[in-house]
Every structure is written in C-alpha cells, then in structure tokens.
C-alpha cells in the first residue's frame, strides 16, 4: 500500500493529467481516493493507539511521582528522627561501623521585607496572561504587540 506521501504525489500527477486534457481518468481517481481513505483510516487507528499509550504513560508518571513524594517524605521523617535522637542524647557526633552522624554548620538568607531590598537583589519575572489577552482581543480591543490568529487544528473522531 502506498504511503500518504506517495498518494499525494499520485494526486498531483493525476491533476496534471487532467490539466493536460487526458480522458478516462475517473477509475484512477476512484482508486487513489479509496487508497487515501484506507491510509487515513490506518493512520487514525495508529494515532488513537499511541494516544492511548500516552495517557497510560501519563497515569504511570503521576503514580510514580506520588510514590516518589511518599518516599521522600519518609526519608525526611527518618532524618528528623535521627536529628531528634542526636539532640536528645546531647551528642554532636556518633560514629558507627558504616556511617558517621554529626552536625555541620550552614547558612541561609531569610528575607523579612522584600520591598526594602535594593532592586539589584530582586528578580521580577514577567508573564503573559494569554487567557485574558485572548478574551480582550475577541472582545474587539486593539492591543499593541498582540493579535488574535486563527488556526486550523486536525480533528480525528
């Protein structure tokens, strides 16, 4: 069976034959049309199967993300229990055969008032509200730097 690319070329050749005035091309046109319909249907079946697989993968990703989060929370709770044990026993360092548990110093910045910081230390991220912009443009507003563009999306039902 011909590919869609080959069938498109066959249509182009058929169009050229018609433009050149050749007759008796109806049978050829019917066979190409039938082949295109079969090929489109086969493509649609493959697309539906792949889309189903994609949904399964998304579901599995979600399940794995939830499992990862549960495991990370378990690790956090265990580390907290170790820290509480070290603090409760008053020990700064505990050495076992395989591990050493101890405290190390670290620092972090805590900001109490972001408005009082010099601008060089504050990053402002600009985002576009596409939904609000689309709503305004559909309502007929003229907005410099934006326009509403109509697209055509393929629908397979």
């Amino acid at each position: 069976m011909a590919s869609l690319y080959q069938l498109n070329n066959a249509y182009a050749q058929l169009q050229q034959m018609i433009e050149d005035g050749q007759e008796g091309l109806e049978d050829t046109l019917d066979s190409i049309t039938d082949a295109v319909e079969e090929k489109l249907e086969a493509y649609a079946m493959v697309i539906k199967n792949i889309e189903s697989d994609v949904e399964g993968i998304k579901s599995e990703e979600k399940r794995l993300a939830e499992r990862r989060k549960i495991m990370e929370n378990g690790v956090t709770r265990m580390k907290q229990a170790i820290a509480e044990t070290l603090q409760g026993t008053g020990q700064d360092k505990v050495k076992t055969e395989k591990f050493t548990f101890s405290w190390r110093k670290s620092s972090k910045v805590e900001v109490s008032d972001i408005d009082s910081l010099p601008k060089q230390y504050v990053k402002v991220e600009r985002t576009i509200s596409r939904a609000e912009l689309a709503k305004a443009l559909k309502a007929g507003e003229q907005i410099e730097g934006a326009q509403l563009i109509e697209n055509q999306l393929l629908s397979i039902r």
Side-chain angles (χ1 to χ4, degrees):
M1 183 180 280
S3 70
L4 282 178
Y5 176 75
Q6 292 167 331
L7 291 172
N8 285 338
N9 284 338
Y11 266 115
Q13 290 173 353
L14 185 64
Q15 181 178 344
Q16 186 62 46
M17 293 169 78
I18 292 170
E19 290 173 2
D20 292 344
Q22 295 182 14
E23 295 183 19
L25 301 173
E26 291 80 18
D27 293 336
T28 305
L29 180 59
D30 289 342
S31 69
I32 292 174
T33 302
D34 292 344
V36 166
E37 289 171 358
E38 289 175 20
K39 186 58 78 171
L40 289 174
E41 188 169 273
Y43 271 46
M45 289 170 46
V46 169
I47 288 169
K48 292 296 182 185
N49 284 337
I50 291 172
E51 287 175 341
S52 174
D53 289 347
V54 166
E55 288 305 312
I57 290 169
K58 284 181 182 178
S59 176
E60 186 66 7
E61 286 174 340
K62 182 179 177 186
R63 186 188 69 78
L64 288 173
E66 288 170 357
R67 181 177 168 143
R68 175 187 50 82
K69 189 66 175 169
I70 289 169
M71 294 173 78
E72 288 173 344
N73 289 342
V75 167
T76 300
R77 284 191 307 274
M78 292 174 76
K79 285 182 177 180
Q80 185 63 37
I82 290 171
E84 289 172 2
T85 300
L86 286 177
Q87 288 174 340
T89 60
Q91 296 176 306
D92 288 335
K93 187 174 187 178
V94 174
K95 187 168 176 70
T96 68
E97 188 175 316
K98 295 183 180 179
F99 300 100
T100 300
F101 303 89
S102 61
W103 299 104
R104 63 180 170 84
K105 294 199 182 272
S106 69
S107 62
K108 71 175 186 175
V109 175
E110 186 173 308
V111 176
S112 58
D113 183 14
I114 193 169
D115 295 327
S116 65
L117 292 175
K119 290 184 180 191
Q120 69 193 49
Y121 300 113
V122 179
K123 291 184 180 179
V124 177
E125 185 176 322
R126 295 172 40 173
T127 60
I128 299 170
S129 175
R130 293 189 188 277
E132 293 294 319
L133 199 53
K135 185 177 175 182
L137 289 169
K138 286 178 183 176
E141 287 186 44
Q142 296 294 320
I143 301 172
E144 187 177 335
Q147 65 271 357
L148 196 58
I149 298 175
E150 296 290 328
N151 292 320
Q152 294 224 357
L153 299 174
L154 177 63
S155 173
I156 300 173
R157 294 184 275 164

